[in-house]
Amino acid sequence: AAFGSDFVSGVQSRLTKDIIQFLNATRLQLQKDDTRRTAAIQRLSRLVTAVWPRAQVKLYGSHVTGLSLPSSDLDFVVCLPAVHKNAPAITPGALEGRNAVNESSQKLLARRLKGESWIDP
């Protein structure tokens, strides 16, 4: 049996109402958490620049695109300044020394982040 237009219209109306309610509830929760998110971004930036003073910390992902949920994590990328050396890297990892990035710096940052109470493992 085919569904009548009244039935389809009723389903669409209920679905639209449910979607709008979900979006409003999500927006309110995200607004309540905005202060915590901003603080996390600032804290991470301070920790990274303590290890790499010229680094930039940039947020990307669902929070930037506006598609985040209250349960969404924060996605970051650490950007280091360009290396201005004409000589090509001869060995793997040779560029690390040019930007003062090496395994010990990465481990130091990881240790500092692990010790922060506001970070979920």
Side-chain angles (χ1 to χ4, degrees), residues 22-72:
F22 172 78
L23 291 173
N24 287 336
T26 299
R27 183 176 45 247
L28 286 174
Q29 186 62 45
L30 287 170
Q31 287 173 347
K32 285 184 357 186
D33 293 339
D34 191 49
T35 302
R36 288 180 41 223
R37 252 190 322 280
T38 300
I41 294 166
Q42 291 171 346
R43 288 174 177 168
L44 180 67
S45 295
R46 280 195 302 269
L47 286 169
V48 168
T49 55
V51 176
W52 299 300
R54 296 174 53 206
Q56 293 180 350
V57 177
K58 297 182 181 182
L59 184 65
Y60 72 98
S62 61
H63 285 282
V64 172
T65 62
L67 299 173
S68 61
L69 297 172
S71 60
S72 296

Side-chain angles (χ1 to χ4, degrees), residues 6-22:
D6 288 344
F7 174 80
V8 172
S9 177
V11 169
Q12 287 175 334
S13 294
R14 282 194 309 266
L15 180 59
T16 300
K17 180 182 165 202
D18 289 346
I19 290 170
I20 290 170
Q21 285 178 337
F22 172 78

Side-chain angles (χ1 to χ4, degrees), residues 73-99:
D73 63 353
L74 295 173
D75 301 302
F76 295 98
V77 62
V78 176
C79 301
L80 298 171
V83 176
H84 298 292
K85 300 274 184 172
N86 292 332
I90 298 170
T91 60
L95 288 177
E96 290 177 348
R98 295 181 187 173
N99 263 338

